[in-house]
Amino acid sequence: TNISLNIIAYLLFIIKNLKSLRVLNLENNNLQDVHLKMISKELKDNKSIVALLLTKNNFESSGGMYLADLLSKNQVIDKLFLGYNNITSSGLSALLEVISTGHEISILDLSNNKLVNEDFIEIAQFMTKNPKMVSMNLSGNKMELADAVELGVVLPNVKSIRTLNLSNMNIISDTSPVLFKALDVEEIIVDDNPLEEIGMIMFSKALSASQRVKKISLKNTNLSTIGLTHLFNSLKNNKGISEIH
């Protein structure tokens, strides 16, 4: 569906009078930067919406900057879903800076954008500054060794995050040893990564040492017999696992 500016304007006019509206879902509407500019302007004074869903649209870094401006003035929104867009470094930086310096977010979905190496460094630093963050989705953004090192350093120290989605991020035998130093989350999702034997061994070691992990998802990760053996052995030490996918 493609929504025109006139329809967006009318929708936002109606929303002004919906004082009980908590979730605004504008997913899959081909929204572009110009739409985000209008949305951000009209929601600055909104006091009811706590979750803004903008997944599968078509905005870029300027859209991210407009959202940053929105969050700098609206302290109510604390769940932001931005997956499957075209956000790059400049838009991401503006957004993370606002969230880090005055607007707490509990759920942030950045899946399947156009994040590159330096973005992961910024994300790693951002994760340590947001004690309210409970869920982070980075899936679909390809990660290299340097990125895994940065995330691997901070993950053991980020105590607030319960759910971490690292699916389809090209986690391989080179990146898994530094990324999986420790698992201090309740749910870890690493689907669609070619972990193979070494990756699974490192994941299992971290799982064995963790008493916090309750749910793991390892779909389509090229598991070998040896990798599965290490996984099952790790479960002997981790008695809290309730779900395995």
Side-chain angles (χ1 to χ4, degrees):
T1 305
N2 295 334
I3 296 184
S4 70
L5 288 175
N6 288 338
I7 292 177
I8 286 289
Y10 183 60
L11 174 64
L12 293 170
F13 173 77
I14 294 174
I15 286 173
K16 281 186 177 181
N17 299 311
L18 297 177
K19 304 302 182 183
S20 62
L21 184 66
R22 304 282 287 171
V23 177
L24 179 57
N25 188 336
L26 295 172
E27 293 180 340
N28 199 24
N29 281 298
N30 196 33
L31 300 180
Q32 300 177 28
D33 291 341
V34 64
H35 297 92
L36 267 290
K37 182 178 182 179
M38 180 181 291
I39 292 168
S40 298
K41 179 181 178 181
E42 294 300 324
L43 292 184
K44 286 178 183 178
D45 297 321
N46 185 280
K47 303 301 182 185
S48 65
I49 296 172
V50 298
L52 184 57
L53 286 69
L54 296 169
T55 306
K56 292 186 178 179
N57 281 291
N58 195 29
F59 57 89
E60 302 181 3
S61 281
S62 292
M65 292 178 184
Y66 293 133
L67 286 173
D69 186 49
L70 166 63
L71 295 180
S72 70
K73 298 176 176 65
N74 180 315
Q75 297 295 311
V76 180
I77 296 171
D78 85 329
K79 299 174 182 65
L80 199 54
F81 297 85
L82 307 176
Y84 291 88
N85 284 290
N86 299 304
I87 301 173
T88 55
S89 298
S90 56
L92 177 70
S93 295
L95 197 58
L96 296 186
E97 182 178 358
V98 169
I99 298 173
S100 297
T101 57
H103 187 115
E104 293 183 331
I105 289 285
S106 64
I107 297 176
L108 182 59
D109 179 359
L110 294 170
S111 60
N112 292 278
N113 277 281
K114 294 184 177 180
L115 307 186
V116 295
N117 297 18
E118 58 267 24
D119 298 329
F120 288 100
I121 296 174
E122 194 164 3
I123 288 170
Q125 296 170 346
F126 160 79
M127 290 170 70
T128 64
K129 299 176 183 178
N130 290 271
K132 191 180 177 183
M133 179 77 65
V134 297
S135 178
M136 170 73 84
N137 187 347
L138 298 173
S139 63
N141 294 292
K142 303 307 179 186
M143 180 169 53
E144 297 184 6
L145 180 59
D147 313 323
V149 170
E150 292 292 334
L151 286 177
V153 168
V154 303
L155 285 181
N157 302 313
V158 181
K159 304 300 183 182
S160 63
I161 290 186
R162 299 174 190 167
T163 301
L164 181 62
N165 192 333
L166 302 176
S167 299
N168 191 26
M169 293 186 67
N170 196 37
I171 302 174
I172 56 177
S173 57
D174 289 340
T175 54
S176 55
V178 292
L179 183 61
F180 297 138
K181 289 181 180 179
L183 294 175
D184 198 16
V185 295
E186 294 181 11
E187 180 178 13
I188 179 78
I189 305 165
V190 291
D191 300 340
D192 301 308
N193 284 294
L195 296 181
E196 299 183 336
E197 191 170 299
I198 294 177
M200 196 63 247
I201 290 173
M202 298 308 301
F203 182 87
S204 299
K205 285 183 177 180
L207 183 62
S208 179
S210 173
Q211 295 304 311
R212 190 180 177 200
V213 179
K214 294 180 174 62
K215 302 176 183 180
I216 59 175
S217 187
L218 297 161
K219 299 172 186 175
N220 192 29
T221 51
N222 297 341
L223 296 181
S224 66
T225 301
I226 294 176
L228 279 172
T229 300
H230 279 271
L231 175 63
F232 290 134
N233 286 338
S234 72
L235 297 179
K236 296 176 183 178
N237 296 320
N238 189 318
K239 305 300 184 182
I241 294 293
S242 60
E243 292 185 24
I244 301 176
H245 299 276

PDB file of all heavy atoms in Angstrom, residues 5-22:
ATOM      1  N   LEU A   5       0.491  11.848   1.006  1.00  0.00           N
ATOM      2  CA  LEU A   5       0.685  12.819   2.071  1.00  0.00           C
ATOM      3  C   LEU A   5      -0.648  13.308   2.626  1.00  0.00           C
ATOM      4  O   LEU A   5      -0.789  13.566   3.825  1.00  0.00           O
ATOM      5  CB  LEU A   5       1.513  13.998   1.565  1.00  0.00           C
ATOM      6  CG  LEU A   5       2.997  13.720   1.310  1.00  0.00           C
ATOM      7  CD1 LEU A   5       3.660  14.939   0.684  1.00  0.00           C
ATOM      8  CD2 LEU A   5       3.708  13.345   2.609  1.00  0.00           C
ATOM      9  N   ASN A   6      -1.647  13.439   1.754  1.00  0.00           N
ATOM     10  CA  ASN A   6      -2.966  13.890   2.203  1.00  0.00           C
ATOM     11  C   ASN A   6      -3.603  12.896   3.167  1.00  0.00           C
ATOM     12  O   ASN A   6      -4.225  13.285   4.162  1.00  0.00           O
ATOM     13  CB  ASN A   6      -3.881  14.110   0.998  1.00  0.00           C
ATOM     14  CG  ASN A   6      -3.505  15.345   0.202  1.00  0.00           C
ATOM     15  OD1 ASN A   6      -2.862  16.259   0.726  1.00  0.00           O
ATOM     16  ND2 ASN A   6      -3.888  15.381  -1.057  1.00  0.00           N
ATOM     17  N   ILE A   7      -3.440  11.619   2.857  1.00  0.00           N
ATOM     18  CA  ILE A   7      -4.012  10.592   3.733  1.00  0.00           C
ATOM     19  C   ILE A   7      -3.284  10.573   5.073  1.00  0.00           C
ATOM     20  O   ILE A   7      -3.912  10.458   6.136  1.00  0.00           O
ATOM     21  CB  ILE A   7      -3.940   9.208   3.056  1.00  0.00           C
ATOM     22  CG1 ILE A   7      -4.884   9.174   1.844  1.00  0.00           C
ATOM     23  CG2 ILE A   7      -4.296   8.106   4.040  1.00  0.00           C
ATOM     24  CD1 ILE A   7      -4.848   7.892   1.061  1.00  0.00           C
ATOM     25  N   ILE A   8      -1.958  10.709   5.025  1.00  0.00           N
ATOM     26  CA  ILE A   8      -1.178  10.764   6.268  1.00  0.00           C
ATOM     27  C   ILE A   8      -1.616  11.958   7.111  1.00  0.00           C
ATOM     28  O   ILE A   8      -1.803  11.854   8.334  1.00  0.00           O
ATOM     29  CB  ILE A   8       0.330  10.847   5.970  1.00  0.00           C
ATOM     30  CG1 ILE A   8       0.854   9.494   5.499  1.00  0.00           C
ATOM     31  CG2 ILE A   8       1.101  11.300   7.195  1.00  0.00           C
ATOM     32  CD1 ILE A   8       0.907   8.434   6.585  1.00  0.00           C
ATOM     33  N   ALA A   9      -1.788  13.098   6.454  1.00  0.00           N
ATOM     34  CA  ALA A   9      -2.217  14.312   7.168  1.00  0.00           C
ATOM     35  C   ALA A   9      -3.587  14.094   7.817  1.00  0.00           C
ATOM     36  O   ALA A   9      -3.805  14.495   8.973  1.00  0.00           O
ATOM     37  CB  ALA A   9      -2.262  15.494   6.205  1.00  0.00           C
ATOM     38  N   TYR A  10      -4.508  13.467   7.098  1.00  0.00           N
ATOM     39  CA  TYR A  10      -5.846  13.207   7.636  1.00  0.00           C
ATOM     40  C   TYR A  10      -5.784  12.216   8.799  1.00  0.00           C
ATOM     41  O   TYR A  10      -6.441  12.394   9.835  1.00  0.00           O
ATOM     42  CB  TYR A  10      -6.745  12.665   6.531  1.00  0.00           C
ATOM     43  CG  TYR A  10      -8.177  12.430   6.965  1.00  0.00           C
ATOM     44  CD1 TYR A  10      -8.959  13.470   7.446  1.00  0.00           C
ATOM     45  CD2 TYR A  10      -8.718  11.147   6.929  1.00  0.00           C
ATOM     46  CE1 TYR A  10     -10.265  13.256   7.861  1.00  0.00           C
ATOM     47  CE2 TYR A  10     -10.021  10.914   7.341  1.00  0.00           C
ATOM     48  CZ  TYR A  10     -10.793  11.985   7.814  1.00  0.00           C
ATOM     49  OH  TYR A  10     -12.081  11.754   8.233  1.00  0.00           O
ATOM     50  N   LEU A  11      -4.960  11.173   8.621  1.00  0.00           N
ATOM     51  CA  LEU A  11      -4.804  10.179   9.677  1.00  0.00           C
ATOM     52  C   LEU A  11      -4.257  10.822  10.958  1.00  0.00           C
ATOM     53  O   LEU A  11      -4.753  10.576  12.061  1.00  0.00           O
ATOM     54  CB  LEU A  11      -3.853   9.071   9.205  1.00  0.00           C
ATOM     55  CG  LEU A  11      -3.466   8.012  10.244  1.00  0.00           C
ATOM     56  CD1 LEU A  11      -4.698   7.229  10.683  1.00  0.00           C
ATOM     57  CD2 LEU A  11      -2.403   7.077   9.677  1.00  0.00           C
ATOM     58  N   LEU A  12      -3.248  11.663  10.809  1.00  0.00           N
ATOM     59  CA  LEU A  12      -2.650  12.320  11.966  1.00  0.00           C
ATOM     60  C   LEU A  12      -3.618  13.298  12.626  1.00  0.00           C
ATOM     61  O   LEU A  12      -3.601  13.477  13.848  1.00  0.00           O
ATOM     62  CB  LEU A  12      -1.368  13.040  11.545  1.00  0.00           C
ATOM     63  CG  LEU A  12      -0.230  12.113  11.106  1.00  0.00           C
ATOM     64  CD1 LEU A  12       0.905  12.921  10.487  1.00  0.00           C
ATOM     65  CD2 LEU A  12       0.287  11.284  12.272  1.00  0.00           C
ATOM     66  N   PHE A  13      -4.488  13.903  11.814  1.00  0.00           N
ATOM     67  CA  PHE A  13      -5.517  14.792  12.357  1.00  0.00           C
ATOM     68  C   PHE A  13      -6.477  14.006  13.247  1.00  0.00           C
ATOM     69  O   PHE A  13      -6.860  14.455  14.335  1.00  0.00           O
ATOM     70  CB  PHE A  13      -6.280  15.465  11.207  1.00  0.00           C
ATOM     71  CG  PHE A  13      -7.458  16.272  11.658  1.00  0.00           C
ATOM     72  CD1 PHE A  13      -7.280  17.523  12.229  1.00  0.00           C
ATOM     73  CD2 PHE A  13      -8.745  15.775  11.514  1.00  0.00           C
ATOM     74  CE1 PHE A  13      -8.376  18.273  12.660  1.00  0.00           C
ATOM     75  CE2 PHE A  13      -9.844  16.516  11.934  1.00  0.00           C
ATOM     76  CZ  PHE A  13      -9.649  17.768  12.508  1.00  0.00           C
ATOM     77  N   ILE A  14      -6.863  12.811  12.794  1.00  0.00           N
ATOM     78  CA  ILE A  14      -7.765  11.962  13.581  1.00  0.00           C
ATOM     79  C   ILE A  14      -7.081  11.510  14.868  1.00  0.00           C
ATOM     80  O   ILE A  14      -7.684  11.492  15.950  1.00  0.00           O
ATOM     81  CB  ILE A  14      -8.200  10.737  12.753  1.00  0.00           C
ATOM     82  CG1 ILE A  14      -9.062  11.186  11.556  1.00  0.00           C
ATOM     83  CG2 ILE A  14      -8.958   9.737  13.614  1.00  0.00           C
ATOM     84  CD1 ILE A  14      -9.419  10.079  10.608  1.00  0.00           C
ATOM     85  N   ILE A  15      -5.791  11.154  14.749  1.00  0.00           N
ATOM     86  CA  ILE A  15      -5.052  10.641  15.904  1.00  0.00           C
ATOM     87  C   ILE A  15      -4.993  11.665  17.037  1.00  0.00           C
ATOM     88  O   ILE A  15      -4.983  11.299  18.213  1.00  0.00           O
ATOM     89  CB  ILE A  15      -3.631  10.216  15.456  1.00  0.00           C
ATOM     90  CG1 ILE A  15      -3.720   8.909  14.661  1.00  0.00           C
ATOM     91  CG2 ILE A  15      -2.694  10.057  16.646  1.00  0.00           C
ATOM     92  CD1 ILE A  15      -2.408   8.503  14.030  1.00  0.00           C
ATOM     93  N   LYS A  16      -4.991  12.939  16.689  1.00  0.00           N
ATOM     94  CA  LYS A  16      -4.926  13.980  17.717  1.00  0.00           C
ATOM     95  C   LYS A  16      -6.057  13.862  18.730  1.00  0.00           C
ATOM     96  O   LYS A  16      -5.910  14.246  19.891  1.00  0.00           O
ATOM     97  CB  LYS A  16      -4.979  15.362  17.060  1.00  0.00           C
ATOM     98  CG  LYS A  16      -3.666  15.821  16.458  1.00  0.00           C
ATOM     99  CD  LYS A  16      -3.789  17.254  15.967  1.00  0.00           C
ATOM    100  CE  LYS A  16      -2.455  17.759  15.430  1.00  0.00           C
ATOM    101  NZ  LYS A  16      -2.543  19.171  14.960  1.00  0.00           N
ATOM    102  N   ASN A  17      -7.184  13.326  18.285  1.00  0.00           N
ATOM    103  CA  ASN A  17      -8.349  13.220  19.162  1.00  0.00           C
ATOM    104  C   ASN A  17      -8.526  11.834  19.777  1.00  0.00           C
ATOM    105  O   ASN A  17      -9.495  11.595  20.489  1.00  0.00           O
ATOM    106  CB  ASN A  17      -9.612  13.587  18.376  1.00  0.00           C
ATOM    107  CG  ASN A  17      -9.568  15.016  17.866  1.00  0.00           C
ATOM    108  OD1 ASN A  17      -9.270  15.932  18.629  1.00  0.00           O
ATOM    109  ND2 ASN A  17      -9.849  15.209  16.588  1.00  0.00           N
ATOM    110  N   LEU A  18      -7.576  10.937  19.488  1.00  0.00           N
ATOM    111  CA  LEU A  18      -7.656   9.581  20.052  1.00  0.00           C
ATOM    112  C   LEU A  18      -6.741   9.502  21.271  1.00  0.00           C
ATOM    113  O   LEU A  18      -5.602   9.042  21.191  1.00  0.00           O
ATOM    114  CB  LEU A  18      -7.252   8.549  18.997  1.00  0.00           C
ATOM    115  CG  LEU A  18      -8.130   8.469  17.757  1.00  0.00           C
ATOM    116  CD1 LEU A  18      -7.578   7.455  16.762  1.00  0.00           C
ATOM    117  CD2 LEU A  18      -9.570   8.108  18.141  1.00  0.00           C
ATOM    118  N   LYS A  19      -7.232   9.933  22.395  1.00  0.00           N
ATOM    119  CA  LYS A  19      -6.413  10.039  23.594  1.00  0.00           C
ATOM    120  C   LYS A  19      -6.032   8.684  24.186  1.00  0.00           C
ATOM    121  O   LYS A  19      -5.108   8.603  25.006  1.00  0.00           O
ATOM    122  CB  LYS A  19      -7.146  10.860  24.653  1.00  0.00           C
ATOM    123  CG  LYS A  19      -7.573  12.254  24.174  1.00  0.00           C
ATOM    124  CD  LYS A  19      -6.391  13.081  23.702  1.00  0.00           C
ATOM    125  CE  LYS A  19      -6.828  14.485  23.282  1.00  0.00           C
ATOM    126  NZ  LYS A  19      -5.705  15.280  22.753  1.00  0.00           N
ATOM    127  N   SER A  20      -6.731   7.632  23.778  1.00  0.00           N
ATOM    128  CA  SER A  20      -6.440   6.304  24.331  1.00  0.00           C
ATOM    129  C   SER A  20      -5.543   5.469  23.409  1.00  0.00           C
ATOM    130  O   SER A  20      -5.189   4.336  23.755  1.00  0.00           O
ATOM    131  CB  SER A  20      -7.741   5.542  24.588  1.00  0.00           C
ATOM    132  OG  SER A  20      -8.454   5.345  23.371  1.00  0.00           O
ATOM    133  N   LEU A  21      -5.164   6.003  22.248  1.00  0.00           N
ATOM    134  CA  LEU A  21      -4.359   5.255  21.290  1.00  0.00           C
ATOM    135  C   LEU A  21      -2.967   5.000  21.846  1.00  0.00           C
ATOM    136  O   LEU A  21      -2.239   5.929  22.187  1.00  0.00           O
ATOM    137  CB  LEU A  21      -4.258   6.030  19.974  1.00  0.00           C
ATOM    138  CG  LEU A  21      -3.513   5.333  18.827  1.00  0.00           C
ATOM    139  CD1 LEU A  21      -4.277   4.095  18.387  1.00  0.00           C
ATOM    140  CD2 LEU A  21      -3.321   6.278  17.644  1.00  0.00           C
ATOM    141  N   ARG A  22      -2.583   3.716  21.928  1.00  0.00           N
ATOM    142  CA  ARG A  22      -1.290   3.344  22.496  1.00  0.00           C
ATOM    143  C   ARG A  22      -0.296   2.862  21.445  1.00  0.00           C
ATOM    144  O   ARG A  22       0.913   3.026  21.608  1.00  0.00           O
ATOM    145  CB  ARG A  22      -1.481   2.219  23.531  1.00  0.00           C
ATOM    146  CG  ARG A  22      -2.453   2.561  24.641  1.00  0.00           C
ATOM    147  CD  ARG A  22      -1.828   3.448  25.675  1.00  0.00           C
ATOM    148  NE  ARG A  22      -0.874   2.722  26.517  1.00  0.00           N
ATOM    149  CZ  ARG A  22      -0.067   3.289  27.387  1.00  0.00           C
ATOM    150  NH1 ARG A  22      -0.053   4.598  27.519  1.00  0.00           N
ATOM    151  NH2 ARG A  22       0.748   2.558  28.137  1.00  0.00           N
TER     152      ARG A  22
END
